[in-house]
Amino acid sequence: MKIDTKPLGIGKGFVEVVGSWGQQDMADDLMIALYETDANQNDPIKGLKANKEMRKKAMEFFKSVFALTDEQCQKIMTDVSGNVLNIYISYVCGLIEGGNEQSFKEFNDSLKPIEKENEDPKKEQRKPEK
């Protein structure tokens, strides 16, 4: 399958990936680490440690799956926003697990209706006071 790597800014438009069991295991480990960051939001120390572990696993995952150099990994760490990388992790892991092949932009655009659903419905109903 082809995975869009434009968001990483590594000089490749896409990378061809097999989706082997080994890659799927790495994707599962990375998604678990990502969910652990959410689960530890109420404890600042555990949350920071979970974030650090997730970033480490993400870079190991990208390096292995995309055959990146240390320089490319450093470029990702310094040049790509954390928000983009968090969404990108879901995009890549979903594809490796057998999701529909699509560009990162298509994947990201598909999340917008979900974000809208999760907005506070009372927010729209509130009217400014006179």
Side-chain angles (χ1 to χ4, degrees):
M1 80 204 62
K2 290 182 180 180
I3 297 181
D4 183 355
T5 57
K6 288 186 258 352
L8 301 180
I10 56 172
K12 302 175 185 180
F14 69 90
V15 172
E16 191 77 31
V17 174
V18 176
S20 67
W21 276 4
Q23 291 171 337
Q24 289 176 354
D25 274 352
M26 290 177 69
D28 290 345
D29 287 343
L30 181 53
M31 289 305 295
I32 289 167
L34 185 63
Y35 290 133
E36 284 177 347
T37 63
D38 288 338
N40 288 306
Q41 285 183 353
N42 293 331
D43 184 333
I45 301 297
K46 285 183 181 178
L48 290 170
K49 287 179 180 180
N51 281 335
K52 189 172 176 114
E53 183 64 23
M54 185 271 301
R55 287 191 294 269
K56 180 181 172 188
K57 283 184 186 285
M59 294 315 301
E60 290 170 355
F61 175 77
F62 294 150
K63 187 173 186 175
S64 174
V65 172
F66 298 149
L68 300 179
T69 65
D70 289 338
E71 292 78 23
Q72 288 170 315
C73 289
Q74 187 59 39
K75 181 172 175 41
I76 293 167
M77 286 289 288
T78 58
D79 294 353
V80 183
S81 81
N83 188 43
V84 168
L85 284 174
N86 287 341
I87 296 168
Y88 191 76
I89 288 168
S90 295
Y91 163 71
V92 173
C93 291
L95 287 176
I96 287 177
E97 293 287 349
N100 292 334
E101 197 170 309
Q102 60 186 328
S103 72
F104 177 70
K105 181 182 180 335
E106 291 168 325
F107 175 80
N108 196 23
D109 288 348
S110 74
L111 298 178
K112 303 227 185 307
I114 295 168
E115 289 172 1
K116 188 137 182 97
E117 279 180 24
N118 291 333
E119 286 180 4
D120 182 3
K122 293 178 185 175
K123 184 177 177 182
E124 291 181 16
Q125 294 174 358
R126 292 184 193 133
K127 295 181 181 175
E129 294 181 23
K130 295 181 182 181

